Amino acid sequence: MSTENEGTAVPAAPSAPPVPVAAPGPASDPTGTNATGTHPADPGPEPVPHAPAQPAHTPTTQGGAQGPAPEAQPGYMPVAQPHAAPQGSGAGWPPPPPSHPYGGGGHGGPAWGAPVPPGPRRKRSGGLVAAVLAAALVAGGVGGGIGYWAAERNDSSVDSTTVSASGTTKDFKRDAGTVAAVAAKALPSVVTIEAQGGDGEGGTGTGFVYDEQGHIVTNNHVVASAADGGDLSVTFSNGKKYDAEVVGRAEGYDVAVLKLKSAPAGLAPLPLGDSEKVTVGDSTIAIGAPFGLSNTVTTGIISAKNRPVASGDGQNSKASYMSALQTDASINPGNSGGPLLDASGAVIGINSAIQSAGTGGFGQSQAGSIGLGFAIPVNQAKTVAKQLIKTGKPVYPVIGATVSMDPKSDGGAVIADRGTGGTEAVPSDSPAGRAGLKAGDVITKLDDRVIDSGPTLISEIWTHTPGDKVTLTYEREGKTATAEVTLGQREGDDS
């Protein structure tokens, strides 16, 4: 699956208007690359019980005005571009609004939002009741106790009960494990990153505190524009801003590590979970700065695991590969590099890409979110981050064979005839060469993972580390065989 790192917004369709309870009134690259990886009728007023004689009083009753329904507002989300655009999107979206808002005003009735005419007048005993109730309402604005006292001093024909909340909003406690509790704890450790390159290119992304020393983990594509001589700043949820510098970047993994130049004391690193133990259906919480809206929290679930994704920002020829966690939590441009949390608040992934449904309307160049977001599994990201902090350079596990990036009609990763620059596709001293693999072989599985293309093979290889032993299943001249391969390594993005 091929995706883009970011995407566009579509206005939501207007919701249906409320129905009145009673009617008013009387009635990819083709060349090879090294494998590194619906109310009943109103019965009318109820009879009033006989009460002691009171001075005549004929209060007028009037229905309340129905306010207009809120207008749907457009909102844009980033998405990654797949091979085929999902349905439900396109230049014709959103649909035009109805000629009468919410269908009102076209059938002789009042338009929604117009004042409701007053109802018929009727005599009612108990003029003092209305006066005292009015006083109670006014008093209620000053204090609930006074309002309750006034109601209690009314005549016996009116019953009044006041129920008080056990506490104010300020005192309300959110139980551990709720989204509110998780967000409150995590937000102080999530930062908004502003990157500005020397050529004026830049943008906004997200990151999170990795350790007490001030290291911040994010996506490479968030900071790439400012990596060489640009400006980087990090802003925390409390508004405090710090300058930062790049410690290391891994373009293939799309992971980068920054360090605060003057790290404050008391940094609280986010706890890291275990992405291998994540399962489909688990709750997810994403935190980021979509379109620059810092400290935004969205929720969803894990909708798939081990999703092979090749992503790019559309600005260079190199792609990033991941065997991703797929989530329907809302992810937009600016969410990149932010944490994907589980229900306990542990990081299980780094939000990195979204799938696109095509170009949206309103002159925007990015498509709206369709609920398909992808995150780099934290187990992989943690390994990469450690390496970048240690040496500043990424290390990639490899099999030492060049595979085609073109998908094969019947599946599999095809080992190319030749390598880059006319070199051998499978050097004899490479891990694949020593295992007996040859040009033209079609790799169909890596351990128990089905391989359907070159990018998928790379994504799966990169979930491992150099020195790991893997079993490759391949086809050669119509026959199936297996080979055990000890993964080698490649250091840096330029080699």
Side-chain angles (χ1 to χ4, degrees), residues 85-165:
Q87 65 180 19
S89 173
W93 180 261
S99 57
H100 289 87
Y102 312 113
H107 303 284
W112 291 107
V116 180
R121 296 173 179 264
R122 63 187 176 111
K123 292 185 178 181
R124 179 176 176 181
S125 60
L128 179 61
V129 173
V132 174
L133 284 177
L137 290 173
V138 173
V142 178
I146 300 175
Y148 181 68
W149 174 83
E152 281 292 291
R153 293 179 65 84
N154 250 340
D155 65 344
S156 60
S157 64
V158 176
D159 292 329
S160 177
T161 302
T162 299
V163 179
S164 298

Side-chain angles (χ1 to χ4, degrees), residues 314-338:
Q315 297 178 2
N316 60 58
S317 60
K318 293 185 178 180
S320 299
Y321 301 93
M322 63 181 119
S323 183
L325 294 177
Q326 179 180 307
T327 181
D328 64 350
S330 180
I331 298 175
N332 298 277
N335 273 104
S336 288

Side-chain angles (χ1 to χ4, degrees), residues 43-129:
E46 294 182 4
V48 181
H50 181 72
Q54 297 282 349
H57 182 73
T58 56
T60 301
T61 60
Q62 180 171 337
Q66 172 69 48
E71 238 179 59
Q73 297 294 330
Y76 269 81
M77 292 183 59
V79 291
Q81 192 69 31
H83 292 300
Q87 65 180 19
S89 173
W93 180 261
S99 57
H100 289 87
Y102 312 113
H107 303 284
W112 291 107
V116 180
R121 296 173 179 264
R122 63 187 176 111
K123 292 185 178 181
R124 179 176 176 181
S125 60
L128 179 61
V129 173

Side-chain angles (χ1 to χ4, degrees), residues 60-379:
T60 301
T61 60
Q62 180 171 337
Q66 172 69 48
E71 238 179 59
Q73 297 294 330
Y76 269 81
M77 292 183 59
V79 291
Q81 192 69 31
H83 292 300
Q87 65 180 19
S89 173
W93 180 261
S99 57
H100 289 87
Y102 312 113
H107 303 284
W112 291 107
V116 180
R121 296 173 179 264
R122 63 187 176 111
K123 292 185 178 181
R124 179 176 176 181
S125 60
L128 179 61
V129 173
V132 174
L133 284 177
L137 290 173
V138 173
V142 178
I146 300 175
Y148 181 68
W149 174 83
E152 281 292 291
R153 293 179 65 84
N154 250 340
D155 65 344
S156 60
S157 64
V158 176
D159 292 329
S160 177
T161 302
T162 299
V163 179
S164 298
S166 58
T168 65
T169 301
K170 181 178 179 181
D171 301 326
F172 187 73
K173 302 297 182 183
R174 271 69 181 177
D175 293 336
T178 61
V179 174
V182 170
K185 186 174 182 179
L187 276 166
S189 300
V190 180
V191 300
T192 298
I193 300 171
E194 294 180 21
Q196 188 70 44
D199 57 359
E201 181 185 349
T204 302
T206 307
F208 61 91
V209 177
Y210 179 76
D211 59 26
E212 294 178 352
Q213 287 69 51
H215 288 107
I216 305 293
V217 172
T218 185
N219 282 144
N220 172 65
H221 76 263
V222 169
V223 302
S225 63
D228 299 316
D231 295 323
L232 280 170
S233 65
V234 165
T235 304
F236 284 78
S237 60
N238 61 5
K240 292 185 178 180
K241 190 173 186 177
Y242 300 87
D243 290 332
E245 59 188 352
V246 175
V247 170
R249 302 188 295 134
E251 188 172 18
Y253 293 120
D254 196 19
V255 173
V257 176
L258 311 181
K259 192 174 191 301
L260 303 181
K261 292 184 177 180
S262 298
L267 288 176
L270 286 182
L272 305 182
D274 185 347
S275 48
E276 282 297 315
K277 294 181 179 180
V278 172
T279 189
V280 173
D282 281 349
S283 297
T284 58
I285 301 169
I287 304 180
F291 297 96
L293 302 175
S294 301
N295 312 315
T296 296
V297 178
T298 56
T299 64
I301 62 168
I302 292 292
S303 49
K305 286 184 64 177
N306 305 312
R307 184 72 77 194
V309 171
S311 65
D313 57 11
Q315 297 178 2
N316 60 58
S317 60
K318 293 185 178 180
S320 299
Y321 301 93
M322 63 181 119
S323 183
L325 294 177
Q326 179 180 307
T327 181
D328 64 350
S330 180
I331 298 175
N332 298 277
N335 273 104
S336 288
L340 184 68
L341 309 174
D342 63 15
S344 73
V347 181
I348 54 174
I350 300 177
N351 300 316
S352 181
I354 54 177
Q355 184 156 320
S356 173
T359 301
F362 305 101
Q364 301 294 323
S365 61
Q366 294 176 321
S369 168
I370 55 174
L372 289 172
F374 304 96
I376 302 165
V378 74
N379 289 12

Side-chain angles (χ1 to χ4, degrees), residues 408 410-415 437-445 472-482:
K408 191 175 182 294
D410 54 351
V414 182
I415 298 180
L437 291 170
K438 299 180 179 180
D441 289 347
V442 181
I443 300 173
T444 58
K445 291 181 73 174
L472 299 179
T473 301
Y474 63 96
E475 295 177 356
R476 179 187 297 168
E477 297 177 351
K479 296 181 180 180
T480 300
T482 61

